[in-house]
Amino acid sequence: MANAERLQKVLASAGVGSRRACEDLIFRGRVTVDGKVAQLGDKVDAHKAEIYVDGQRVIADENLVYLALNKPRGVVSTMADEKGRTALLEFLDRVDQRVYHVGRLDTDSEGLLLLTNDGTLAHKLMHPSYEVPKTYVCEVPGPLPRAVGRQLLAGVELEDGLAKVDKFRLIDAFGRSAQIEIVIHEGRNRIVRRMLDEVGHPVNRLVRTAIGPIRLGDLKPGRTRRLTNAEVAALFKAVAD
């Protein structure tokens, strides 16, 4: 292999540990490459090999980029917009690689978007068969009867079929507003807004706070951050076959 390097060097470059520590991991049989237990002296192509340490995927290809973006309200979920509206590319001036958004948020919604140039992972995250849950915090008109949560959990009939949430929680109620958290793995267009419309509590504000194991946290609107190695490994685990 023309681009092959010693496995311990590749692991060290990926941030797993010092080269000596990585040699120890290989010696103890804790490293697999393309499904086989690695041996000291193995060489790998970091751009092609699937490397795992203790069952966690290690991304050794330095060209692969994994980002979290806090999409502000009013921004369209496209890289560039032919109508001149604010699009995602405007928030990526410090990213050299060409990346793409994983899924969408409608223009009026805000919160977590993932961006990457790893097409295989992106496809799995968006594919309904993997049922990756997404978490939303919504502000809706109150007061909110307890029956609303039961309705959403049981299922709401929409024009394109039944839809139901995986989890529902009332966060707070204040005056004529209520703040709720919804977890749902469906990816149909504007599914959360349509469900809440159907039960009589249309959304005033919607923020996506998590995609699978990745949380928005305190990332400010319009800012991006690179996912940690542990977060990337958790994403691969979430879509493991």
Side-chain angles (χ1 to χ4, degrees), residues 36-49:
K36 297 180 180 179
V37 177
Q39 305 293 324
L40 279 173
D42 284 355
K43 291 186 175 182
V44 299
D45 183 341
H47 300 287
K48 298 178 180 178

Side-chain angles (χ1 to χ4, degrees), residues 4 8 19 28 60 72 82 99 102 114 120 131 151-152 175 194 198 217 222 230 239-241:
Q8 59 265 39
R19 198 173 298 190
R28 294 175 183 276
E82 59 186 18
V99 296
V102 180
L114 300 180
T120 302
E131 298 188 348
Q151 278 181 279
L152 295 170
R194 291 193 289 136
E198 188 65 27
V239 295
D241 293 321

Side-chain angles (χ1 to χ4, degrees), residues 46-57:
H47 300 287
K48 298 178 180 178
E50 285 195 10
I51 304 171
Y52 288 80
V53 175
D54 293 337
Q56 278 203 337
R57 179 74 180 267

Side-chain angles (χ1 to χ4, degrees), residues 3 19 38 73 146 192 197 228:
N3 298 317
R19 198 173 298 190
R73 189 171 189 167
R146 291 184 179 181
V192 174
D197 276 345
T228 66

